[in-house]
Amino acid sequence: LDSIPRCTAIIIICHLCCSLLTGNVSHKPPFTGTKPALNIVNLCLTSAGMEPFTCFMDVENSRSYIDELYSEENYKCQEAIVCLKNAVIGSNKKKGSIISQGIVPRLIGLLCNACKPLQLRIDAGIVLGSLAKGTESQVHSLMRYNTVEVLIAIVFDPSTDERLMETCLGALQTIVQYPFAPLDLIHSDINNIKRLIQIASSTSSFSCQAYVVNIFVPLCHTSHQQKNLCQADVIPFLARLMTSENTTLQVPALKCLAAMCFTNKSVSNIVHSTYHAERSILDILTLLLSRTRDVQVQLSASRCLTYLHRSGSLPAEDYRIVYKTLPCLARLCSDEFDEDTRATAAETLAYLAEIDSELQRLAAISNHLIASLANLVRCPSVLSRQGAFRCFASLAANDEEIRKRIIEMRGLMEEVLSGLKDCCPEAEQHVKTKIINKLGMDRIFQLLGDRDERVIMKTLGLLRNLLSKTLHIETIMSEHSSEVLRAVSLVLDDPHPPEVKEQALIIISNITAGAREKDYVLQDEKIVKKIRDFLVANDNKLQMGAVFVVRNLLDKSSRRQILRKWGFLDNLEQLLRMTPRDSQFYEDIQHEILRFDYSEDH
């Protein structure tokens, strides 16, 4: 092999690789032992100065039992599928290897074959269910073999053994959670939903009930789906599970009910009037808000009642809302609960109180809610911060006193500014205008006068991002030019560190570049003198910031004589003498000096 040319070795390798990977997926593969071939491949690779293959090792290691999977002798096939089942559990790599070898059709064939032993069929279903717990791309691969159709057919077959049905329901439950799952296969016939409810009757196994209710969770988001579920009497079914005293059944049942009630008045009215075991669903939900219940049960039940209220089926003054739902959500926002729970509770509370000033007032004085939300804002998760901000916005929608309490929370405005600053650069113009109008220039002045330098920097960052696009600059400056320039001037006048004043200079530069209709900056003599003086300041940040402003000012030839008159050219020449010749900054200054003599007719 040492004498084999490199290109010849590669050709041999390619042929051997093809032999290793090909085979008729619906029959036993045409080869039974790959180790000798793999050894030859790796020997060729080594001889060619290349790394040996390791990617086929999984195939080689599993080949013995995969070969037996295609055996017509049931006991051999059973042993093979047990090995396969153990191999794929918990390993996405093994799952991918099995799928890529084309074994899924064989598994489906075994699952569907009523002539095969029951345990063999169950194990085939278990392997398919395990593959469905792999990566999204692996689940996509399963779908190509009509796996969902096969599972549904077996589940809906009245003659299917209960254990096999449980296995197929488990696999189906896993697949339908994906957004690309073909849910219409279930919704296409209302009898399918009725059949699932029948399968999950009170006399059925716990597993069957759990699988079915989890299958319903992604099936209830559109109005058409909700209508089908109602017509199939899913609400009494959910009510029964809600009273089961088992969290595994209660939580998905509550999630399904909440999704059905969300912005759906007709469904909410049905829920409002439905009873189970002589108790109304409203009373059942209210009982589930008790702090003795599982946290997720409390949260899910409170979401149900929130959506019932917002759909118009439950008035804001109802005791279940005022004295049960609202306090429960406020309590779930506190630090004793995990971050996801707090974030969801805050989002839900925001929605509950969004349009009712009395609920806003009650929420604001509930269970240290504002302090809890302030802590939630400081969490790293985007969803947590979003939930807290939305709740703050909801609470402060109508009451000036609540707004004041929120604003005066220590450190809170810094977090709010961070959030606003980060979202502003790409925001639409109307959003930026709304931010300024809601926050108010008086509040911006107050923040710029804060003793905490971080607050000042973030306020300047907010202003800089608000004034970041030409159209937006024109619009904002046409309404708020005097306030914006006064705010910037305030920062330039105060004894702030150079990096703070540098941010103010960037804002001025943005205005000079973006304001086409009017020379806002040149009309403010105080700011113009500051920029001129910063050119020869003893700090490089101030010098560079001032040069940046001058660069944008010089873009209009009509400004050049004005700047020359104000002494900008003299200061630029002085700055040039102060700057090392071998620096980029020296070249930048020199370029701006030359522009003073540049004519647009040049």
Side-chain angles (χ1 to χ4, degrees), residues 78 114 116-123 161-164:
Q78 179 67 60
K116 292 292 183 182
L118 177 62
Q119 190 58 51
L120 181 57
R121 297 179 68 194
I122 290 172
D123 285 340
D161 178 86
E162 185 176 353
R163 288 188 299 151
L164 180 60

Side-chain angles (χ1 to χ4, degrees), residues 323-340:
Y323 299 113
K324 299 293 183 178
T325 307
L326 190 149
C328 177
L329 287 169
R331 176 168 48 80
L332 293 175
C333 289
S334 64
D335 296 350
E336 66 180 282
F337 299 102
D338 66 86
E339 192 176 323
D340 286 345

Side-chain angles (χ1 to χ4, degrees), residues 554-584:
L554 288 174
D555 283 343
K556 276 190 178 181
S557 59
S558 59
R559 296 169 176 165
R560 292 169 191 164
Q561 281 302 111
I562 300 172
L563 293 175
R564 186 191 293 267
K565 179 182 175 182
W566 280 101
F568 275 77
L569 180 57
D570 292 339
N571 279 18
L572 279 171
E573 289 173 341
Q574 182 180 339
L575 176 59
L576 189 68
R577 293 191 293 271
M578 297 164 56
T579 306
R581 285 177 171 271
D582 59 350
S583 66
Q584 179 61 46

Side-chain angles (χ1 to χ4, degrees), residues 460-523:
L460 289 170
L462 170 62
L463 280 175
R464 185 188 68 210
N465 290 339
L466 288 169
L467 296 162
S468 61
K469 294 182 180 179
T470 298
L471 177 61
H472 301 173
I473 292 169
E474 288 281 9
T475 304
I476 292 171
M477 291 301 290
S478 66
E479 296 179 22
H480 303 284
S481 61
S482 60
E483 294 96 333
V484 170
L485 292 174
R486 187 156 66 91
V488 173
S489 183
L490 177 69
V491 175
L492 296 179
D493 286 341
D494 286 349
H496 293 302
E499 52 268 20
V500 174
K501 295 190 177 187
E502 182 185 32
Q503 290 297 311
L505 289 170
I506 292 172
I507 293 170
I508 294 171
S509 181
N510 285 359
I511 295 170
T512 58
R516 303 294 185 186
E517 300 298 323
K518 196 172 180 182
D519 275 334
Y520 295 104
V521 174
L522 287 183
Q523 290 176 5

Side-chain angles (χ1 to χ4, degrees), residues 217-428:
V217 172
L219 296 182
C220 55
H221 293 294
T222 70
S223 57
H224 173 68
Q225 292 172 343
Q226 292 161 0
K227 181 181 177 182
N228 278 356
L229 289 169
C230 280
Q231 290 177 348
D233 288 332
V234 80
I235 292 175
F237 166 71
L238 296 175
R240 176 175 65 79
L241 297 185
M242 284 156 48
T243 61
S244 66
E245 302 298 328
N246 190 298
T247 304
T248 306
L249 298 179
Q250 287 175 312
V251 172
L254 289 164
K255 286 182 177 179
C256 187
L257 188 69
M260 291 180 67
C261 292
F262 183 67
T263 68
N264 193 320
K265 172 75 170 173
S266 59
V267 173
S268 294
N269 286 342
I270 294 171
V271 171
H272 186 280
S273 59
T274 300
Y275 281 71
H276 173 74
E278 299 183 352
R279 282 190 299 176
S280 71
I281 286 186
L282 296 181
D283 288 340
I284 293 170
L285 290 171
T286 304
L287 288 172
L288 295 178
L289 298 179
S290 167
R291 62 178 69 217
T292 61
R293 301 284 180 169
D294 180 87
V295 170
Q296 289 306 309
V297 170
Q298 295 177 50
L299 182 59
S300 300
S302 65
R303 287 171 72 83
C304 289
L305 287 163
T306 294
Y307 297 158
L308 283 164
H309 160 59
R310 288 302 304 271
S311 295
S313 298
L314 206 57
E317 60 272 15
D318 189 286
Y319 80 94
R320 301 175 186 89
I321 297 297
V322 176
Y323 299 113
K324 299 293 183 178
T325 307
L326 190 149
C328 177
L329 287 169
R331 176 168 48 80
L332 293 175
C333 289
S334 64
D335 296 350
E336 66 180 282
F337 299 102
D338 66 86
E339 192 176 323
D340 286 345
T341 297
R342 294 159 62 199
T344 305
E347 284 266 8
T348 308
L349 183 53
Y351 187 62
L352 176 70
E354 187 177 30
I355 59 173
D356 190 277
S357 57
E358 182 60 19
L359 290 179
Q360 293 161 10
R361 187 189 67 79
L362 290 172
I365 60 175
S366 295
N367 203 51
H368 308 291
L369 176 63
I370 292 179
S372 297
L373 293 175
N375 291 335
L376 189 59
V377 163
R378 298 183 182 97
C379 291
S381 162
V382 173
L383 290 177
S384 297
R385 295 164 67 87
Q386 176 180 288
F389 282 136
R390 284 184 176 172
C391 200
F392 275 134
S394 179
L395 298 182
N398 296 296
D399 193 306
E400 186 60 39
E401 187 61 33
I402 296 174
R403 288 194 200 107
K404 185 178 178 182
R405 285 180 58 198
I406 292 172
I407 288 171
E408 291 176 353
M409 284 292 297
R410 181 176 177 81
L412 178 59
M413 287 310 297
E414 181 185 343
E415 298 294 338
V416 174
L417 286 167
S418 291
L420 290 174
K421 178 171 70 68
D422 292 341
C423 79
C424 277
E426 302 304 321
E428 295 295 330

Side-chain angles (χ1 to χ4, degrees), residues 13-14 17 20 38 41-42 45 50-57:
I13 291 164
C14 291
C17 289
L20 283 168
L38 190 59
V41 169
N42 283 334
L45 283 167
M50 302 165 68
E51 290 294 320
F53 268 123
T54 58
C55 61
F56 296 128
M57 292 303 182

